[in-house]
Amino acid sequence: MTGLKPLLRHNPPTIGDSRGARAYIGSVMADFLDLGEPSQPARPEAYRVLARKYRPQTFAQLIGQDAMVRTLGNAIKRDRIAHAFLMTGVRGVGKTSTARLIAKALNCIGPDGQGGPTIGPCGVCEPCRAIAEGRHIDVIEMDAASHNGIDDVREITEASRYAAVSARYKIYIVDEVHMMSKAAFNALLKTLEEPPAHVKFLLATTEVNKVPITVLSRCQRFDLRRIPADLLAQHFAEVCDKEGVEAEPAALALVARAAEGSARDGLSILDQAIAHAGLEGGGITAVAVRAMLGLSDRGAVRQILTAVLASDAPVALDGLRRQYDGGTDPQSVMRALLEAVHGITLAKVGTAPDPAQSEEERAAREDWAARLSFPVLHRLWQLLLKGHDEVARAVLPIEAAEMALLRAIHASTLPDPGELARRIQAGGPIPGAAAPAPATAPAPQAEPVAEDPTPATFPGMVDALDNAGHLALAARLRHGARLVRYTPPELVLSGSRPIAADTLTELTVAMKGLTGRVWKVTLSDEPGDPTIRQAEDTVAEATRQAILASPLVRAAQEAFPDAELEDWPGKRSIA
């Protein structure tokens, strides 16, 4: 208690105030024996979503925007820095991140504090760290969605007259600038055109068409591109590696396609996929991602499309129902079918394949492209596109999707408008048209028996198709069809040589138009006869050898050793 005596003498309690004395002594003891606050358990660091955690901190980490980075780098090196920049592009491609990187590049002073503007900011100096953390006093970020009035712009114009406090440039980052009012835009024009030397404006927007042309003309514009799916998949693989998460390449490709060129959207989906994978350690699988996003199975889509092209309605509808029962939206299935037809058409044109596609998907599209004609693909695209729109508006989406598939199956067996016009001119039967009602006559009269127009042989049928205007179909049959059996109205061809499903359908319709009979065209595993062209080549070669073996020709060759047989019957078929 000796240590308390000075304190008691300094401010003793009044005499007789025992309660006050006890309180006073208690407070003194508390001060004297103060050991500080009890230790608290360390709070875990708050989780940051991947889109924020892996926000680009340097231009090298900004994926898919090489052209813009090169332009900015050259401008900084040559000291040709514009006073206002406008970044435009779809969501999540890095517009705001690019604005912050430009702010760091212009205000970086280097680790030694002596650096100047650079395309590679150090990230360790005070301006770089303060800008990255969003606390730099001279880098002002403003969301035009909530600060879109003329008063907000007046604050900017008033503050821009004062020099920067600690940075090289005072920078205003205005996000979603297209949401500013007309009066606010007009108030900003003069300052935006001739700002003080120490001020830079960085504008970002997703809807550049809503920004007045007077503002666009005062800015250096950068159109940020959608990030390719292969680059996104590679970026997501690096993120998974840093997070210690295993992921199938096919799963990352699905995430990249679902992101539609947006890094932020893709990272958000990847965050969800990691959470969806759980703690079992199995990693992210393509099946899980497809189920999580409600995407249709690519293999199932190929099966449905195959059934549609083969006019197999039960298989097509069963595949659609299985996708629907598995939780896939019918509109998603229609969209996947549209993507497949579009990819097949691009493959037929000869464009480079999508690097994010699987080998199986690529091989299937190339096979379809080799077998399907452009008219069939264009017709199928229009039918599926109409079906997609109907499903989007339908009260019964799955029923609307089924009807759309049935319409596509039915239309695949119909001839094109040009063929219909030729049939109308020739007076032939029109598929789908009702037969005319017989005229009422006073008394029935016997009709003469019409001659059967069915050719007796398969080559005769091919010639009849050629004469009727089916030139392409006749050429395909003449060069590629191997006959197994021709017994009208049945035709069996060999399946050892691939024949496209649309060729069989077109042949069935064409022969019905020629003969008026319903034909059954099937494929068999038997090898079949040689093609018509091969048979013609064999006959032509035999004729050539017979001519060369004749005494007259042999004598002419002996007299003229350099003479050659220039023409003979059937030469055109093997020339």
Side-chain angles (χ1 to χ4, degrees), residues 237-458:
E238 296 173 356
V239 171
C240 288
D241 185 61
K242 294 177 181 177
E243 292 290 316
V245 177
E246 295 183 0
E248 295 179 355
L252 297 180
L254 286 174
V255 174
R257 280 197 292 267
E260 297 182 346
S262 170
R264 184 176 63 234
D265 287 8
L267 288 173
S268 298
I269 297 173
L270 183 61
D271 224 339
Q272 182 182 357
I274 294 175
H276 185 78
L279 301 177
E280 292 79 6
I284 303 174
T285 63
V287 175
V289 171
R290 190 176 290 112
M292 180 188 74
L293 298 178
L295 298 176
S296 55
D297 184 6
R298 295 280 174 178
V301 169
R302 291 196 296 270
Q303 293 176 1
I304 295 174
L305 184 58
T306 301
V308 170
L309 294 173
S311 300
D312 194 340
V315 173
L317 296 182
D318 179 66
L320 176 62
R321 275 288 176 179
R322 279 190 281 108
Q323 288 289 290
Y324 178 72
D325 294 339
T328 303
D329 183 34
Q331 190 175 1
S332 176
V333 178
M334 299 301 295
R335 178 174 178 175
L337 289 170
L338 282 168
E339 291 176 351
V341 174
H342 177 256
I344 295 168
T345 308
L346 292 184
K348 191 172 185 64
V349 172
T351 58
D354 184 359
Q357 272 182 0
S358 64
E359 290 294 334
E360 183 180 6
E361 183 79 10
R362 192 177 308 172
R365 291 188 178 184
E366 291 176 353
D367 178 63
W368 269 320
R371 294 189 290 113
L372 299 177
S373 62
F374 281 114
V376 171
L377 290 172
H378 295 328
R379 185 190 314 165
L380 191 59
W381 170 264
Q382 293 295 333
L383 291 168
L384 292 176
L385 184 62
K386 180 176 176 58
H388 178 274
D389 295 341
E390 291 177 352
V391 171
R393 301 190 306 267
V395 179
L396 303 173
I398 182 61
E399 286 78 3
E402 289 177 340
M403 295 302 296
L405 288 186
L406 290 175
R407 184 167 61 239
I409 291 172
H410 175 70
S412 64
T413 62
L414 295 178
D416 55 52
E419 184 178 349
L420 282 175
R422 289 192 297 269
R423 291 189 184 183
I424 293 174
Q425 292 178 354
I430 302 176
T440 304
Q445 297 180 358
E447 295 289 339
V449 179
E451 183 180 357
D452 187 3
T454 305
T457 63
F458 179 65

Side-chain angles (χ1 to χ4, degrees), residues 536-548 568-569 574:
E536 292 174 350
D537 292 346
T538 301
V539 173
E541 180 62 19
T543 302
R544 176 176 177 274
Q545 294 298 332
I547 294 174
L548 292 176
W568 65 95
I574 63 174

